[in-house]
Amino acid sequence: MKGKLGFLVVMAVILLSFFPKGTQAQCSICTRSVQQMGERPGKAFNAGIIYLAFTPLAIGGILGYRWWKQNRED
C-alpha cells in the first residue's frame, strides 16, 4: 500500500509539472524569432512546442508505468 501511494504521488507531481502557469518552451534562437513576430504568435508558438513535446513524454510515461507494473513485487 505504501509503495502504491508513493507511486501515485510521484505520478501526480509529474502530471502537474506538465501544466505550469506561464510555461516558456523556447530555445534562445526561437525566442528571438518569436519576439519579432509579436505576443500572440509567441503564445501560439509556445503552445505548439508543448503540444509536440507531450506525445513522446506520454509514451515514455505509459511505457515506464507498464514496466514498473510488470516488474514490481506484490
Side-chain angles (χ1 to χ4, degrees):
M1 179 70 177
K2 196 174 199 180
K4 190 174 188 177
L5 179 63
F7 177 74
L8 289 175
V9 169
V10 169
M11 290 303 291
V13 168
I14 291 171
L15 180 64
L16 291 174
S17 69
F18 283 124
F19 304 106
K21 197 172 187 177
T23 302
Q24 296 296 319
Q26 296 177 357
C27 67
S28 60
I29 297 170
C30 296
T31 302
R32 280 196 189 142
S33 300
V34 171
Q35 283 175 346
Q36 294 172 356
M37 290 191 290
E39 184 176 338
R40 196 162 178 209
K43 287 184 178 182
F45 194 75
N46 273 333
I49 291 172
I50 292 171
Y51 176 75
L52 290 173
F54 178 75
T55 303
L57 291 172
I59 291 170
I62 291 168
L63 291 175
Y65 173 74
R66 290 185 69 184
W67 173 80
W68 171 80
K69 190 173 181 179
Q70 185 178 19
N71 291 323
R72 69 183 173 146
E73 294 180 27
D74 290 324

